[in-house]
Each structure stands twice: as C-alpha cells, then as structure tokens.
Amino acid sequence: MDNLLAQKVAKPMVINTRPVERAAPLTQCLQAAGFEVIDMPMLALQVRAITATDVDIMRAWLAGEYQALVIVSPTAAAAGLALWQSLVAQPKHNKANENLALASSRSSQDSDMVSSTASSLRAYDSSNTEVNLDISNSQLSQLTAPSELIAVGTATAEVLQQAHLAINSYQVRQPTIANNEGMLAMPEIDGLRAGDKLLVWRGLGGRRLLVDTLQARGVTIDSIAWYQRTIPNEAAANYLHWWQQHSLSQPAKPLLPVSAEYSPRTIVIISSGSAFENWQQVVSQAQLSSPDLAINSAKQLNSDLPKLTDFIYVVLGVRLAAMLAEQQLDYLQVEDLLPATIVAAIQHAD
C-alpha cells in the first residue's frame, strides 16, 4: 500500500515544446521544482528575408506615421532593433537598404537569435554586399522611439530594456495579460480609432484577434514578419525516441482496479496554436509508425503509443484553451509564459 501511495504522489513528467531559443529558463525552473523535463520543441524559428516594403514601413514608423508599435517576441525585438539601428546609422543608404535580406550566421553560437540584440543576424543589399548590423549598447542608446512601444511578454520587454534606448517620453509597456485580449485592453491600443496606424513586429501568422478587432474600427495595421515558425525536422523522431525510452523504463502495471492511478499523466506545455497543430501531427504520425518501433517484446504492454487524450496540457490564453476544450482534452490554462506561472499551475493541479 505504501508503494502504491508513493506512486500516486509522484510528480508528473513534463514535456516542454517551446522553441529551442526560449525553452531553457522554463526547463530549468521546472527541474528546480523537482520535475523531470523533456525538451521536445514543436516550433523552429527561421529568419525571413526583409523586403523593400518592410524597409519602407520601418522608415514610415521612424517618421512618426504610427501611433504605436507592438512587438510580439524576443526574436522580433532583436531583428527589429537591428534594422532600426541600420536605418538610423546609414540614412544615405536608401537604395542599398531597400533590398536588405536577413540571414542566419553559420556560426553555431548564432543559432540562438536572442542571446544578444542581433548576434545572429546579417544583412545584405541587392549586390550581396554585407551591410553592418552589429549593434553595441552605445549605439542603441542613440535610438529614440517615435511611438509607444508595447512588448508582449516579459522576455520581449527585457530585450528592449537591455538595449538602453533613449525613449524620452515613451516607455516599454506591457499588457497585464500577455495575449491578444490583454493588448486590446491596454489604453494605448484601446484608444486607437479610425485613421490611426499600428505597426506590429512579429513572426509570420498569428495575432488575428488583435488585427481583426482593430481593423473593424478602421485602424490601419501594418506588420513586419521577421521570422516564420516551422515544425522541427527532428520532432517526430524525438517523440518516438522519448516514448520508447519512457515505456521501457516503466514497471509492469500491478493487477489492481483500473480506477486506481499509479503515475500521473505526462504534462505537455503548449504556447501557441501552431505548436499544438504540430504536436497533433507528431502524435498522429507516431500512431501510424508505431509498428516500426524496436521495443522489447516483454515490454509490449507498455509500448502502445499514447493518444492526445493521454496527456494533460498547459496552454496559454482563452483561445488556445477553447481549441483544446473543443477536442475534449484536459488542460490547465495560464495567462502568461513566465516559468513561475507555469510551475505554479502544475503544482496546484497535483
């Protein structure tokens, strides 16, 4: 009986699906709280080329044509700061800058796009001549924001705050809740009306509620997509490898009533609709490929791959929660992605 009780109170395993660039703080916080954590990214960030239209939009923002700038991620903040500095530092390079293209550095250190303001970014003009986008804090201190700056999330705000911008009357503001609903409630956003203009630095896709709501008011919204989200090439293989190792490590189930719970269900952290769609794809594909798994036949009872309903999910915001509720999945809803918030949600659910 004591052994069964110990199994009941065991901490659940946690799968962290956040992109590699953003996973570490959460993983470390969960591990410090005593959880076993598996890093299994469901999103990879790929830098996108800057177009002449993007440069024109940035110049219009610098000229004061927008009432506010919304920055949705640390990656967008780093990339935006790089081009901002380039345009301010090279105002006479008009034609050359119109065809800037961002590309990742080949260095392994450059894979982390937010480890510094722009350490992983290079820009090239139409003749493939590299344009310097290296940014020092002393250079960044010369930048003056021409509009309100709104950072979605603490990590995004920290990228801007560490840059020591000369913001004058403008400060880096954050919504109380780091999602679309939280932004719409901000005075800087709620006060926008027909004829006003909003600029968004983002990844490709997303933020439809914010865009649709403001456009319905007659607000013009322009955006620059600095990167796009893709499913990592190794996502499916990592999932199969995790389950193979996990199933082999599990003891045979005791012959006790089905209603008795012997180990908590694995918790999966999902931060966006795109991440959840990729997770669904990986789980579904695994079901089809499971016969190919080389699992010891003595453990076959433990090798059946789980279904979506076999997990508990930690999800960000109302819309993502509704998506999971529609599929009758069990979830814990959080309003921000701070590691402490997620750890507290998991602990309170035990």
Side-chain angles (χ1 to χ4, degrees), residues 153-190:
T154 302
T156 302
E158 287 176 351
V159 172
L160 298 168
Q161 291 162 348
Q162 291 172 3
H164 305 300
L165 302 179
I167 299 176
N168 294 339
S169 59
Y170 296 122
Q171 299 178 355
V172 177
R173 306 186 187 280
Q174 295 178 247
T176 303
I177 302 175
N179 57 22
N180 284 290
E181 293 82 359
M183 283 188 288
L184 287 168
M186 297 180 69
E188 296 83 2
I189 300 296
D190 185 55

Side-chain angles (χ1 to χ4, degrees), residues 34 48 90 137 177 182 214 237 253 292 326:
R48 300 182 73 246
Q90 303 174 51
N137 281 342
I177 302 175
L214 293 178
K253 295 180 181 178
D292 298 328
E326 185 176 351

Side-chain angles (χ1 to χ4, degrees), residues 54-64 87 91 93-94 97-98:
D54 295 333
V55 176
D56 288 342
I57 290 173
M58 279 291 289
R59 287 206 175 97
W61 175 68
L62 289 169
L87 294 176
H93 247 154
N94 293 345
N97 282 332
E98 284 179 358

Side-chain angles (χ1 to χ4, degrees), residues 29 56 124 138 194 336:
C29 191
D56 288 342
Y124 302 86
S138 61
D336 63 62

Side-chain angles (χ1 to χ4, degrees), residues 262-297:
Y262 309 110
S263 61
R265 283 187 288 170
T266 298
I267 290 176
V268 182
I269 297 168
I270 300 290
S271 59
S272 70
S274 296
F276 182 63
E277 289 169 1
N278 291 345
W279 172 260
Q280 286 180 293
Q281 177 181 325
V282 165
V283 173
S284 298
Q285 287 179 343
Q287 297 290 336
L288 298 175
S289 60
S290 58
D292 298 328
L293 283 177
I295 297 179
N296 188 322
S297 59

Side-chain angles (χ1 to χ4, degrees), residues 71-82 114 117 155-157 159-160 201 226-227:
I71 307 160
V72 305
S73 70
T75 303
L81 283 167
V114 295
T117 305
T156 302
V159 172
L160 298 168
W201 290 355
W226 303 100
Y227 57 92

